[in-house]
């Protein structure tokens, strides 16, 4: 049977969440060849129905028996659930694509951005699991891959401006409520973050580590090394939460192995898979979070030579953190799996 005629049984663990909901959307938008779609979540959601392409699919409990007959299990129910239930899904015969940090740095488990290192997918056979990187790493590497391939990269200095949707649905509500409270002149309530996020920027994403960096910052460092299979790249990150709902923005400074002109970078990015060049400063055109929501591409612009060093570049990189940063990347991995491995 040709690939186009084959259909697959897919489970989504965490189907009622922000990322799980986006996975449903992406599967439909990309016409993924589904036979059965099984939606899994906690006891809180069992019995709820979720609409998918005109069907009402009941939510089932995520437990060890939930994966019988499943070919591909997409996990986005948090790292603890991935650690507990991904092995059961593999034992039942499924390949797991995991969106959490649970397995990302496990040397036996591939960590994949399809535009960057799809060759690594085949390594899933060892453990039956493929890890999806952190959203901030994904969009940065989609933009840097053509530059890395052309001239090599010695060092990356990245600062992120991350949307509240990266912290889930409660954080979106909190930002909206805080803005409304402040406009009304009342005291905003602060629950999700340690400080007010409305009209503010918090240089704090995930927990602090002993070296003074946050886990989010170290995810960007470690995941970049693993995906490029190159520990020689110096990477340093500052990750910041900003009062934006969808779309992470990044200021990316790179020291390259050889000089590239702005025109050469533009040409490389124009041809790069998954990238949309948005770089016409004279026409006030540059990537913006508001423009990336709902889009599959990573937007790159504000391309400049870093005039403070011989071989340096500055880029501004923006992507929908829930789509390319999570759900879309996972579905692209599943597509590569069915094209080449299942
Ligand atoms: P969310 O909106 O809070 O959704 C969480 C999902 O997990 C819901 O479906 C929830 O089910 C389910 N869940 C929670 N506890 C459970 C349990 N004990 N048993 C079964 N299901 C349980 O969170 P989200 O924003 O979608 O993020 C989910 C996860 O995706 C994150 O924890 C993270 O690991 C990963 N993520 C990755 C990236 C990335 O950078 N690649 C970005 C965002 C998120 P109920 O509705 O029944 O509670
Ligand atoms: O904060 C963001 O913008 C991205 C959040 C990602 C996230 C949120 C909760 C748990 C992760 C992740 O993917 O690294 C995790 C986790 O699995 O550790």
């Amino acid at each position: 049977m040709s690939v186009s005629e084959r259909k697959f049984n897919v489970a989504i663990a965490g189907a009622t969440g922000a990322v799980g909901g986006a996975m449903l959307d992406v599967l439909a938008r990309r016409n993924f060849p589904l036979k059965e779609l099984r939606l899994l979540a906690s006891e809180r959601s069992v019995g709820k129905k979720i609409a998918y392409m005109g069907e009402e699919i009941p939510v089932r409990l995520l437990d060890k028996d939930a994966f019988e007959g499943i070919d591909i299990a997409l996990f986005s129910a948090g790292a603890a659930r991935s650690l507990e239930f991904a092995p059961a899904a593999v034992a039942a015969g499924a390949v797991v694509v995991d969106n959490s940090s649970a397995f990302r740095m496990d040397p036996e488990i591939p960590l994949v951005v399809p535009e960057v290192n799809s060759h690594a997918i085949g390594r899933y056979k060892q453990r039956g699991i493929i890890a999806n990187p952190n959203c901030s790493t994904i969009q940065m590497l989609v933009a840097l891959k053509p530059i890395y391939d052309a001239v090599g990269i010695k060092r990356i200095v990245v600062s992120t401006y991350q949307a509240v949707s990266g912290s889930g649905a409660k954080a979106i509500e909190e930002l909206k409520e805080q803005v409304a409270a402040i406009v009304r002149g009342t005291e905003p309530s602060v629950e999700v973050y340690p400080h007010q996020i409305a009209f503010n920027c918090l240089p704090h994403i995930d927990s602090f580590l002993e070296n003074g960096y946050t886990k989010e910052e170290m995810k960007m460092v470690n995941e970049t090394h693993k995906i490029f299979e190159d520990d020689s790249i110096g990477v340093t990150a500052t990750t910041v939460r900003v009062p934006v709902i969808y779309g992470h923005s990044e200021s990316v400074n790179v020291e390259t192995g050889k000089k590239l002109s702005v025109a050469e970078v533009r040409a490389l990015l124009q041809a790069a898979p998954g990238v949309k060049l948005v770089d016409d400063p004279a026409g006030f055109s540059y990537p913006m979070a508001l423009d990336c929501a709902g889009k599959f591409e990573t937007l790159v612009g504000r391309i400049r030579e870093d005039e403070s060093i011989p071989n340096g570049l500055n880029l501004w990189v923006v992507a929908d953190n829930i789509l390319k940063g999570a759900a879309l990347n996972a579905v692209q991995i599943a597509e590569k799996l069915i094209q080449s491995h299942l």
Side-chain angles (χ1 to χ4, degrees), residues 99-101 104 134-135 162 166 205 216 219 241 248:
N99 241 299
S100 80
S101 58
R104 286 181 193 149
N134 178 266
C135 43
Q162 295 184 218
I205 298 185
E216 185 82 352
K219 284 173 191 173
R241 187 73 66 197
H248 287 0

Side-chain angles (χ1 to χ4, degrees), residues 14-340:
T16 51
V19 176
M23 283 172 169
L24 282 155
D25 178 43
V26 173
L27 289 169
R29 280 171 71 182
R30 293 175 75 91
N31 202 15
F32 192 91
L34 286 173
K35 193 156 56 187
E36 181 194 336
L37 180 58
R38 197 173 297 172
L39 304 182
L40 308 171
S42 77
E43 277 168 342
R44 294 179 285 275
S45 303
V46 172
K48 278 187 193 162
K49 290 196 171 154
I50 297 182
Y52 180 79
M53 294 186 85
E55 245 187 279
E56 291 281 313
I57 305 180
V59 177
R60 289 170 51 169
L61 183 65
L62 170 60
D63 65 11
K64 289 183 176 156
D65 301 322
F67 298 95
E68 205 191 318
I70 291 296
D71 303 305
I72 298 172
L74 305 174
F75 270 71
S76 67
R81 265 68 61 192
S82 297
L83 288 167
E84 188 175 359
F85 299 114
V90 174
V95 181
V96 168
V97 182
D98 182 42
N99 241 299
S100 80
S101 58
F103 303 107
R104 286 181 193 149
M105 295 315 297
D106 186 324
E108 294 182 342
I109 291 176
L111 180 65
V112 175
V113 181
E115 294 88 342
V116 179
N117 66 334
S118 62
H119 66 269
I121 288 178
R123 293 182 206 139
Y124 82 90
K125 289 184 185 113
Q126 215 169 338
R127 295 272 298 279
I129 301 172
I130 301 166
N132 203 70
N134 178 266
C135 43
S136 297
T137 312
I138 293 175
Q139 67 182 67
M140 180 172 79
L141 297 198
V142 167
L144 292 185
K145 167 73 170 167
I147 296 171
Y148 181 80
D149 285 349
V151 292
I153 289 176
K154 288 187 175 169
R155 182 163 187 254
I156 303 169
V157 182
V158 55
S159 300
T160 70
Y161 305 66
Q162 295 184 218
V164 296
S165 53
S167 315
K170 268 182 83 178
I172 298 176
E173 281 320 298
E174 179 147 316
L175 172 57
K176 289 180 179 170
E177 282 167 14
Q178 286 181 356
V179 170
I182 292 162
V183 170
R184 278 196 311 269
T186 58
E187 190 64 26
S189 78
V190 174
E191 283 171 26
V192 176
Y193 301 114
H195 305 280
Q196 177 184 315
I197 183 65
F199 307 105
N200 204 2
C201 297
L202 309 178
H204 171 189
I205 298 185
D206 209 332
S207 42
F208 282 99
L209 298 165
E210 272 193 4
N211 65 0
Y213 287 84
T214 63
K215 276 192 183 172
E216 185 82 352
E217 288 160 350
M218 294 315 296
K219 284 173 191 173
M220 293 193 78
V221 174
N222 298 326
E223 294 175 18
T224 296
H225 288 153
K226 179 166 176 176
I227 295 164
F228 275 154
E229 299 173 19
D230 186 349
D231 288 349
S232 76
I233 308 172
V235 185
T236 188
T238 301
T239 56
V240 181
R241 187 73 66 197
V242 297
V244 162
I245 293 183
Y246 292 106
H248 287 0
S249 304
E250 299 180 343
S251 163
V252 184
N253 175 267
V254 279
E255 184 178 356
T256 52
K258 284 188 197 145
K259 194 171 186 67
L260 281 177
S261 68
V262 168
E264 287 170 324
V265 177
R266 286 211 179 110
L268 286 170
L269 289 168
Q270 201 109 49
V275 172
K276 183 169 182 214
L277 196 61
V278 184
D279 196 22
D280 177 18
F284 304 141
S285 169
Y286 30 72
M288 294 190 295
L290 276 181
D291 290 339
C292 78
K295 290 207 173 82
F296 286 166
E297 297 95 352
T298 295
L299 314 182
V300 187
R302 295 298 324 280
I303 301 167
R304 288 150 291 154
E305 280 188 31
D306 174 351
E307 296 174 343
S308 70
I309 52 171
N311 303 324
L313 295 166
N314 283 306
L315 314 173
W316 181 249
V317 180
V318 176
D320 185 320
N321 52 302
I322 300 296
L323 289 177
K324 185 54 191 165
L328 170 63
N329 199 71
V331 172
Q332 286 176 299
I333 292 171
E335 289 170 350
K336 294 272 178 200
L337 254 181
I338 64 174
Q339 276 159 20
S340 306

